[in-house]
Amino acid sequence: MSRIPFIAGNWKMNLTVKEAREFAKEVATKVPAASSVESAICAPATHLEALVELTKGSELAIGAENCHFEKSGAFTGETSPYVLNDLGVKYVILGHSERREYFGETDELINKKTIAAFENGLVPIVCCGETLEEYEAGKAVEVITSQLRVDLAGLTKEQAEKLVVAYEPIWAIGTGKSADSSTAEACCQLVRETVCGLYDETTAQAVRIQYGGSVKPTNIKEYMACEDIDGALIGGASLKEDSFKELIMATK
Ligand code: PGA
């Protein structure tokens, strides 16, 4: 099955809205058709409205970095998945390791958010991955499979087919120390096998799996050459117009 490659930037808590506007003006008209490679920028909630406006009619999609699992209510400081969809946002990153580590997000919570994302018309990019300690203790397989079993619980087969999973070893995020492509491929293959175990082979073949962790224009081709890696979730290297464009072009 041929899956369309998917390159997504994760801006985290970076750039001003003014800088985001300049980025969108520069990049939106230069990305290739989403039928050959899909591209998205996932940005802070404060930036989304401007980004959606400026990328309207272009091939660059916009994503959020988090959302709540309820549509509305007394949840001070949270972002509604319903409103994100209403705004024209397409993707939402869920369960990023920084949310797990600094904001105490559990797999149970990530699961509620994943279901809510689908119910509100968003496509979740569900992140999984092991710490350095777990990696060195040979526990990566156990960690990844147990995260996904909970994160994806209760999704229908139709939803699971549309899902994006980002495998991001925590020791490779923002460290400049990327996983070598054979390790990244082995873990992305494991993600696919886990989805196959939860659903079936057709679903597993439809799911798009990204590698994330210090991906740059200089190493992206190695990852994209791997059978089970369909794209990348990119932090640092997605913040500059030129390197983001290079990452997409290298994938085409
Ligand atoms: P990085 O971040 O590319 O800066 O390592 C990746 C991520 O956190 O998604």
Side-chain angles (χ1 to χ4, degrees), residues 10 12 93 96-98 127 168 172-176 212-216 233-238:
N10 172 14
K12 311 193 179 186
I93 299 175
H96 189 279
S97 63
E98 286 149 19
C127 302
E168 301 201 302
I173 296 178
T175 57
S214 299
V215 176
K216 304 180 271 284
L233 184 59
I234 302 151
S238 74

Side-chain angles (χ1 to χ4, degrees), residues 188-245:
C188 290
Q189 192 180 10
L190 172 70
V191 169
R192 206 174 298 285
E193 282 165 11
T194 307
V195 174
C196 184
L198 293 171
Y199 296 89
D200 52 30
E201 187 58 29
T202 325
T203 313
Q205 288 304 322
V207 165
R208 285 188 296 172
I209 303 169
Q210 298 175 317
Y211 165 73
S214 299
V215 176
K216 304 180 271 284
T218 47
N219 63 14
I220 191 157
K221 279 200 158 89
E222 289 167 44
Y223 297 114
M224 293 311 297
C226 300
E227 200 177 322
D228 288 293
I229 301 181
D230 306 312
L233 184 59
I234 302 151
S238 74
L239 291 165
K240 291 254 175 351
E241 290 92 333
D242 285 348
S243 78
F244 186 67
K245 279 188 287 185

Side-chain angles (χ1 to χ4, degrees), residues 100-116:
R100 293 175 186 260
E101 187 182 348
Y102 307 134
F103 303 97
E105 291 201 6
T106 61
D107 288 303
E108 286 73 17
L109 178 67
I110 295 157
N111 175 242
K112 283 171 131 180
K113 293 183 177 199
T114 304
I115 292 170

